[in-house]
Amino acid sequence: MPTSRTGRPPVQRAGRRPVARVSRDNPVRRLFIRARKAWDRPLTAYYLILGGSLLITVLGLVMVYSASQITALQLSLPGSYFFRKQFLAALIGGVLMLAASRMPVKLHRALAYPILAGAVFLMALVQVPGIGVAVNGNQNWISLGGSFQIQPSEFGKLALVLWGADLLARKQDKRLLTQWKHMLVPLVPVAFMLLGLIMLGGDMGTAIILTAILFGLLWLAGAPTRLFVGVLSIAVAIGFTLIKTSPNRMSRLACIGATEPGPHDTCWQAVHGIYALASGGLFGSGLGASVEKWGQLPEAHTDFIFAITGEELGLAGTLSVLALFAALGYAGIRVAGRTEDPFVRYAAGGVTTWITAQAVINIGAVLGLLPIAGVPLPLFSYGGSALLPTMFAVGLLIAFARDDPAARAALAMRQPRFGRRRGAVRESARAGGPRRWNTMRRRASAARSSGER
């Protein structure tokens, strides 16, 4: 038996067991790891907001063109009439979104009070006889001449988000949000004033969205449970009274889950929305081949455009729309959760609450799970008054996503593929000079938050 140098018998080592590399060789595992790394990158929220909003808007333009052709022809108008108006609104909204994404945070805060004052003035102007216009029984429009109209209550959502975020941020800087009086006043009275002006015109759907924004701001401000429940109880009581005293709203509430039009066809719109979704199948009947838009489904290009999408594009199309809204909502929550600027957190949370709540209410009504509230699908349905402030709000989210220090460093790292700057960086690297990445990283880590003073 061979011995070691010390004269002792050698120790027999156990053979190494083969290391299991199932996790590394598993393609699903590798795909999950890559997706998780891509999800955690600094520019993920920026790309999700920009790409998701643009895809929703473009797909909405296509569906508006498809769903509105028959309605336009029935009104003795060109088939592309509603599409052209929506396309013009999308162009103006794109300019607003670009401007909002390039504005500094201080300018956004400076615009809060002028936008609130303008929205209140226009919403009060709606009730002036001869100026306000009634559409479908709700007087909440102002005629701009010709076929162009504006709905000021849509701009009230943007006004509440900006003004409420600026108000709460100022109070947080002064450490006043620990007192319930400062948390409620003047945020809740101003919100109730906007709700009162909206309800004077009878638009309860927009009032519900405004209430959701208010509760979103209070939740982000850290309102205690008792205070939150108290304000919620008051809102529920007021809403129940308004629904109970209106036969039209009671009939809408009775149409939840309806499968038959009912007496006097009170649930006609809700039932035919379900018919449109049911006849779409997996991949739909084809773009432009909807049957329900031929006069069977009212408001096919506005409130019930999701039903036409399900009929023409099928389950695949509706799930794609839901996925885009889910990505947009996640990106907004991520921007609000990762910032240290209180104004950015409140504004991003308010915009995310606004878009998400409105999408849920619209889609829930089409699916028969919620009463028909008469609110459009954000960025998707026909309506310039709803599209313009929503695209400006998306521009806010883009600006906030770009303002993140890690995102700024990643954007600063991008160099043109051709030109002197790239050559200069290569020469600096060859000469042993510092890399631009480290410089930008130090600069981004040393930068202060845009809302700090």
Side-chain angles (χ1 to χ4, degrees):
M1 179 177 183
T3 59
S4 61
R5 295 180 181 179
T6 58
R8 299 177 181 177
V11 179
Q12 295 183 357
R13 299 179 180 179
R16 295 183 179 180
R17 296 180 179 179
V19 180
R21 297 184 178 181
V22 178
S23 60
R24 293 183 180 180
D25 296 336
N26 190 354
V28 178
R29 178 68 176 177
R30 289 201 307 267
L31 183 62
F32 175 76
I33 294 175
R34 290 179 181 178
R36 188 174 181 179
K37 289 181 179 179
W39 204 255
D40 292 335
R41 289 178 181 176
L43 293 176
T44 299
Y46 171 74
Y47 286 134
L48 285 179
I49 296 170
L50 180 60
S53 60
L54 291 179
L55 285 175
I56 294 173
T57 305
V58 172
L59 183 58
L61 287 173
V62 175
M63 293 311 304
V64 164
Y65 180 67
S66 175
S68 64
Q69 286 182 345
I70 306 304
T71 303
L73 294 176
Q74 289 175 346
L75 297 175
S76 300
L77 298 171
S80 60
Y81 174 78
F82 293 104
F83 168 76
R84 286 181 293 177
K85 292 183 63 177
Q86 185 74 356
F87 184 72
L88 177 61
L91 291 179
I92 300 175
V95 174
L96 293 177
M97 184 176 70
L98 180 62
S101 65
R102 294 295 179 177
M103 288 181 185
V105 176
K106 291 183 178 180
L107 183 56
H108 288 148
R109 301 185 68 168
L111 290 175
Y113 283 86
I115 292 179
L116 177 65
V120 171
F121 175 75
L122 292 176
M123 290 167 67
L125 203 62
V126 169
Q127 305 305 322
V128 177
I131 298 179
V133 178
V135 177
N136 294 332
N138 296 335
Q139 186 168 349
N140 49 12
W141 297 80
I142 295 178
S143 178
L144 299 180
S147 61
F148 291 95
Q149 297 176 344
I150 186 174
Q151 187 176 2
S153 57
E154 294 290 341
F155 294 89
K157 304 172 187 176
L158 178 63
L160 181 61
V161 168
L162 285 178
W163 177 80
D166 180 70
L167 175 69
L168 294 175
R170 292 178 187 276
K171 291 195 173 188
Q172 181 172 334
D173 291 339
K174 297 178 181 179
R175 299 182 180 180
L176 297 176
L177 291 182
T178 55
Q179 306 176 23
W180 67 271
K181 294 181 180 180
H182 286 282
M183 184 173 292
L184 291 181
V185 180
L187 177 62
V188 175
V190 171
F192 278 11
M193 178 189 66
L194 294 174
L195 289 172
L197 291 173
I198 292 174
M199 288 309 301
L200 284 177
D203 188 3
M204 192 169 183
T206 304
I208 294 175
I209 305 301
L210 211 69
T211 305
I213 295 173
L214 173 62
F215 284 119
L217 291 175
L218 290 176
W219 182 78
L220 289 170
T225 306
R226 291 179 298 175
L227 184 63
F228 202 85
V229 172
V231 178
L232 181 61
S233 301
I234 296 174
V236 169
I238 296 175
F240 178 78
T241 304
L242 293 174
I243 293 175
K244 194 69 176 178
T245 55
S246 174
N248 183 29
R249 298 188 185 113
M250 286 297 297
S251 63
R252 292 186 179 187
L253 192 65
C255 291
I256 297 179
T259 57
E260 295 292 337
H264 307 291
D265 293 334
T266 54
C267 299
W268 179 274
Q269 187 179 25
V271 170
H272 277 271
I274 297 297
Y275 289 169
L277 290 172
S279 60
L282 187 59
F283 297 105
S285 58
L287 190 62
S290 169
V291 176
E292 291 293 333
K293 68 182 180 182
W294 286 78
Q296 299 296 324
L297 180 61
E299 308 296 336
H301 60 296
T302 54
D303 301 342
F304 272 71
I305 193 171
F306 188 77
I308 301 300
T309 303
E311 185 180 5
E312 295 187 352
L313 302 183
L315 181 64
T318 55
L319 290 181
S320 300
V321 175
L322 291 176
L324 290 174
F325 276 109
L328 189 60
Y330 166 79
I333 295 174
R334 176 170 172 168
V335 170
R338 294 195 174 190
T339 183
E340 297 179 359
D341 188 341
F343 172 78
V344 173
R345 181 168 63 254
Y346 295 135
V351 171
T352 305
T353 304
W354 164 13
I355 296 177
T356 305
Q358 188 165 330
V360 169
I361 292 174
N362 178 275
I363 296 174
V366 174
L367 296 176
L369 303 176
L370 295 174
I372 300 174
V375 295
L377 190 59
L379 301 172
F380 200 84
S381 297
Y382 170 79
S385 295
L387 185 63
L388 295 182
T390 306
M391 295 193 74
F392 187 89
V394 172
L396 290 178
L397 292 179
I398 295 175
F400 298 155
R402 289 171 56 94
D403 195 61
D404 182 74
R408 286 203 307 267
L411 289 173
M413 262 296 298
R414 295 184 171 186
Q415 300 294 335
R417 296 182 179 274
F418 304 99
R420 297 181 179 180
R421 295 182 62 186
R422 186 177 181 184
V425 172
R426 288 182 176 178
E427 293 296 331
S428 175
R430 291 175 182 175
R435 285 180 173 267
R436 189 173 179 83
W437 170 263
N438 296 330
T439 305
M440 287 300 172
R441 192 174 183 180
R442 289 195 300 269
R443 188 181 303 171
S445 61
R448 300 176 62 186
S449 178
S450 59
E452 297 178 358
R453 300 175 181 174

